[in-house]
Amino acid sequence: MSYGLLKGKKGIIFGALNEQSIAWKVAERCHEEGAEFILSNAPIALRMGELNGLAEKTGSEVIGADATSIEDLEKLFDAAVAKFGKIDFILHSIGMSVNVRKGKHYTEMNYDWLEKGWDISAVSFHKVMRVAYEKDCMNEWGSILALSYIAAQRTFPDYNDMSDNKAYLESIARTFGGYWGERKVRVNTVSQSPTPTTAGSGVKGFGNFLGYAEDMSPLGNATALECADYCVTLFSDLTKKVTMQNLFHDGGFSSSGVTQKVIRKYDAE
Ligand SMILES: NC(=O)c1ccc[n+]([C@@H]2O[C@H](COP(=O)([O-])OP(=O)(O)OC[C@H]3O[C@@H](n4cnc5c(N)ncnc54)[C@H](O)[C@@H]3O)[C@@H](O)[C@H]2O)c1
C-alpha cells in the first residue's frame, strides 16, 4: 500500500547490501512512497553486485563511498547536489565490528579492531552529517536517521563492542541534532528489534536470541519491512518536530519486564 508520503522528496540511503538488509527494505518503501534517492555503500559491498538490482527496481543511481572517508563522502554529496539540488532525507544503516567478526571476547577486546568498528558504526554518522552540514545540502524540515539497538542501554553479552558503538551513535544523533535543529532539520535513531540480516546474524547466538526477543515483545519482533515503514513516517512531513530521540521500534521489548508469553513458558515446566 502506498500513501505518497514522500512524493517529491530526495535522499541518500546508505547500507543496502542484500535483500535482507534493513536499508534495502527502506529503499523499496521510499520508492513506493514517491521518493528519489541515491544508494550508497562501501566499494567492497558494491563489488558483490547485488545493489544493482535494487537500483534498477527503484530507478536509483549507485554511488560508492566508504562512510569513514570524508573524501568519499564529499564526492557523494557533491553528486547528490548536482543531481537533486538540496536533499530531504538521509538513512545511515551501517554497522560492523571486527571484534564481533573475529569472535574476540569483550573482556579481551582488541583496541585496534575496536577503533575500526567504532569509526564505521558510530563516527561515520558524524562524518556523514558533517559533510552534509558543511555543504548545507539539506532542505528545511529534512530528516536524518541512523539505526541503533537496545544494547546501547542494556547489556547483551555477545553484542560485544557494538553496544558501546551504539551508545556513541545515539549520543552523536542528540548532539549534532541540536545544531541541525537551527536549520530545521531533525536527527533521530531508530532502535530496531533483532533482525535476520548479514550484520545481525554475525552476532554469536543470534538465532536463540531472536526467539527470546520475540517472546519478550508483546507485539513480537519488528521485521525489516516494518522498520522501513517506520523510517518512511520519520522521513515524511508527519513527524516534523520529532528530533534528537532514540525511538524504539521493537514490539514493546524495551518496556517489558516479563511478558505473558514468557510466564506461560515457565508454567509449562
Ligand atoms: N540486524 C539487526 O538485528 C539489527 C538490529 C538493530 C539495529 N541494526 C542496525 O541496522 C543497521 C543495518 O544493518 P543490517 O542489519 O541491515 O545489516 P547489513 O549487513 O545488511 O547492513 C550493514 C551495512 O553496513 C555497510 N558497511 C559496512 N562498512 C561500511 C563502510 N565502511 N562504509 C559504508 N558502509 C559500510 C555494509 O556494506 C552493509 O550494507 C546497522 O547499523 C545495524 O547495527 C541491526
Side-chain angles (χ1 to χ4, degrees):
M1 212 185 317
S2 167
Y3 305 90
L5 283 175
L6 303 182
K7 213 163 160 227
K9 295 206 183 288
K10 326 275 188 205
I12 301 177
I13 295 177
F14 289 91
L17 180 67
N18 52 36
E19 248 182 281
Q20 283 71 49
S21 298
I22 296 168
W24 191 285
K25 305 289 181 207
V26 175
E28 288 182 332
R29 287 295 292 118
C30 286
H31 175 63
E32 285 166 12
E33 294 296 334
E36 287 174 69
F37 44 82
I38 289 170
L39 294 165
S40 186
N41 209 326
I44 189 167
L46 298 190
R47 283 201 284 280
M48 292 168 74
E50 287 192 52
L51 197 53
N52 295 332
L54 180 65
E56 222 167 276
K57 187 175 171 188
T58 57
S60 313
E61 191 178 341
V62 175
I63 300 179
D66 176 345
T68 64
S69 158
I70 291 284
E71 199 189 330
D72 282 13
L73 291 171
E74 282 181 338
K75 282 189 198 146
L76 168 64
F77 276 90
D78 285 343
V81 169
K83 188 180 175 82
F84 296 134
K86 287 194 177 192
I87 61 172
D88 305 287
F89 66 93
I90 299 172
L91 177 74
H92 176 287
S93 185
I94 297 172
M96 203 279 295
S97 154
V98 189
N99 282 296
V100 168
R101 270 210 185 163
K102 301 203 182 208
K104 193 81 176 161
H105 198 266
Y106 183 80
T107 56
E108 299 164 358
M109 131 178 354
N110 175 310
Y111 297 112
D112 292 334
W113 296 349
L114 166 72
E115 263 182 50
K116 180 152 197 229
W118 169 73
D119 197 12
I120 292 174
S121 309
V123 183
S124 69
F125 190 40
H126 189 284
K127 291 177 177 172
V128 164
M129 287 197 278
R130 178 195 181 146
V131 172
Y133 195 83
E134 284 175 355
K135 293 193 181 294
D136 194 17
C137 66
M138 291 293 291
N139 277 319
E140 280 196 359
W141 303 114
S143 174
I144 303 174
L145 271 187
L147 286 169
S148 194
Y149 184 56
I150 195 173
Q153 287 80 30
R154 300 196 197 159
T155 51
F156 294 85
D158 291 322
Y159 205 62
N160 210 313
D161 55 350
M162 277 303 285
S163 309
D164 307 329
N165 293 338
K166 289 303 190 193
Y168 203 94
L169 177 84
E170 291 175 13
S171 180
I172 288 173
R174 276 188 300 275
T175 310
F176 220 142
Y179 296 98
W180 275 113
E182 289 167 21
R183 297 192 189 174
K184 303 215 169 6
V185 171
R186 58 205 190 275
V187 183
N188 296 287
T189 48
V190 169
S191 185
Q192 162 68 7
S193 292
T195 315
T197 62
T198 304
S201 311
V203 177
K204 199 170 132 212
F206 184 78
N208 293 345
F209 180 63
L210 204 62
Y212 170 75
E214 174 76 23
D215 287 350
M216 279 295 287
S217 309
L219 293 179
N221 287 332
T223 64
L225 181 58
E226 286 161 343
C227 184
D229 285 338
Y230 189 39
C231 292
V232 165
T233 68
L234 292 167
F235 290 149
S236 82
D237 289 337
L238 302 179
T239 52
K240 277 183 178 170
K241 292 278 172 83
V242 181
T243 196
M244 300 154 76
Q245 301 296 317
N246 179 48
L247 302 161
F248 288 104
H249 182 256
D250 63 0
F253 181 92
S254 47
S255 288
S256 295
V258 71
T259 58
Q260 294 299 323
K261 279 186 268 188
V262 171
I263 290 171
R264 277 196 294 271
K265 278 204 170 159
Y266 280 89
D267 272 349
E269 275 178 11

